[in-house]
Amino acid sequence: LSEGITILSDAVAQQPDRVDLRLNLALIYLQADESDAALSTLEAASDIAKDDSQVEADIDRLMLIAEDPNFEQELGEITDLVNAGSELSEENMEFLEDAMERAPLFVDLYILLANAYLYFDEVSDAIDVLLDGQKVLPDNPQLAATLAKALWLAGENELAFECLNKALVKNKNYVPLLALTGQFLFEDGQDEEAKAFLNRAEALDSQDPVLRDVRVAIANSVDY
């Protein structure tokens, strides 16, 4: 690791405006358990990120890891709980909320917390979390897809379609948005329109997990 640190440090000195070099250097510092050096490198990277939300999100995530070496492990455990449909403890919820405050561009935190609420039919809380996320990440397609799903569950069908349509303007090839639009159109009785969106999603990525779930949901409703 020391050799990698030396190489990347030299590269950063020669090309100080390369954010990717600073991020790679920070990663090696983290692997070497040099958290303070990683933090200072990430802070410097943040100064030259130039309003690139994805890069800034990566910086936010790495800063959380640099500040707390156990962050990724704990986040992974919470993710497993949510995916298994298990209820999160108050401590788990506080962990996510604290991380969101410190890393507002880390979209996975909003999605995870919203899904935790959705599993237990706390739809209004999920919607609030996702709307907070959209304040800082207004064009993020993952947030829009999850928000549309929450609005649909809340019976706000018109708002759900509005959310999907607005997101598709800037993310026309994002398969989860296409798949959900197809599902909601099908459930709204607009079969031909639904088929068009689902066929487009299928052509882009037939293995997308959201599309797979939509297929199952539609098949189950038809069988029923």
Side-chain angles (χ1 to χ4, degrees):
L1 291 179
S2 60
E3 184 176 351
I5 289 172
T6 300
I7 292 170
L8 280 168
S9 295
D10 290 344
V12 167
Q14 294 171 19
Q15 302 179 73
D17 293 331
R18 286 273 303 275
V19 179
D20 59 322
L21 291 176
R22 293 181 186 273
L23 290 181
N24 286 328
L25 177 58
L27 279 170
I28 289 190
Y29 277 135
L30 288 173
Q31 292 172 355
D33 294 325
E34 296 186 30
S35 297
D36 289 342
L39 277 172
S40 62
T41 302
L42 291 167
E43 288 167 358
S46 182
D47 290 339
I48 59 171
K50 298 177 181 177
D51 296 325
D52 186 323
S53 60
Q54 183 55 58
V55 172
E56 291 177 337
D58 290 338
I59 292 171
D60 275 358
R61 178 178 63 83
L62 291 175
M63 280 188 169
L64 289 173
I65 297 169
E67 293 167 355
D68 178 7
N70 296 319
F71 175 80
E72 279 196 311
Q73 179 182 343
E74 190 163 352
L75 184 64
E77 291 171 355
I78 292 174
T79 301
D80 289 341
L81 288 172
V82 171
N83 290 340
S86 301
E87 188 169 4
L88 298 185
S89 67
E90 186 176 339
E91 183 180 3
N92 293 148
M93 302 294 275
E94 289 176 354
F95 173 87
L96 291 176
E97 290 166 355
D98 176 66
M100 284 165 55
E101 287 184 11
R102 293 190 288 137
L105 296 175
F106 188 10
V107 67
D108 290 7
L109 297 172
Y110 298 99
I111 303 299
L112 194 57
L113 186 55
N115 282 333
Y117 282 129
L118 289 176
Y119 271 123
F120 295 95
D121 295 324
E122 298 177 20
V123 181
S124 61
D125 288 327
I127 290 172
D128 287 342
V129 168
L130 295 165
L131 289 174
D132 285 343
Q134 285 201 321
K135 290 176 183 176
V136 291
L137 295 164
D139 298 325
N140 185 277
Q142 191 178 5
L143 276 174
T146 310
L147 177 58
K149 183 168 64 174
L151 289 168
W152 192 264
L153 289 172
E156 298 288 353
N157 295 11
E158 187 175 339
L159 287 176
F161 279 126
E162 183 180 326
C163 178
L164 289 169
N165 290 333
K166 182 179 178 182
L168 280 168
V169 170
K170 295 191 175 181
N171 305 277
K172 62 181 180 180
N173 293 324
Y174 189 67
V175 173
L177 289 173
L178 294 168
L180 287 174
T181 302
Q183 179 183 359
F184 297 163
L185 285 168
F186 177 82
E187 293 180 9
D188 197 46
Q190 302 180 57
D191 293 6
E192 290 304 314
E193 292 85 350
K195 188 181 296 183
F197 278 94
L198 293 171
N199 286 342
R200 186 173 163 198
E202 184 87 24
L204 288 167
D205 184 1
S206 62
Q207 301 303 313
D208 182 86
V210 174
L211 176 59
R212 186 170 59 244
D213 290 344
V214 166
R215 285 199 209 101
V216 171
I218 291 176
N220 288 340
S221 66
V222 171
D223 290 342
Y224 181 78

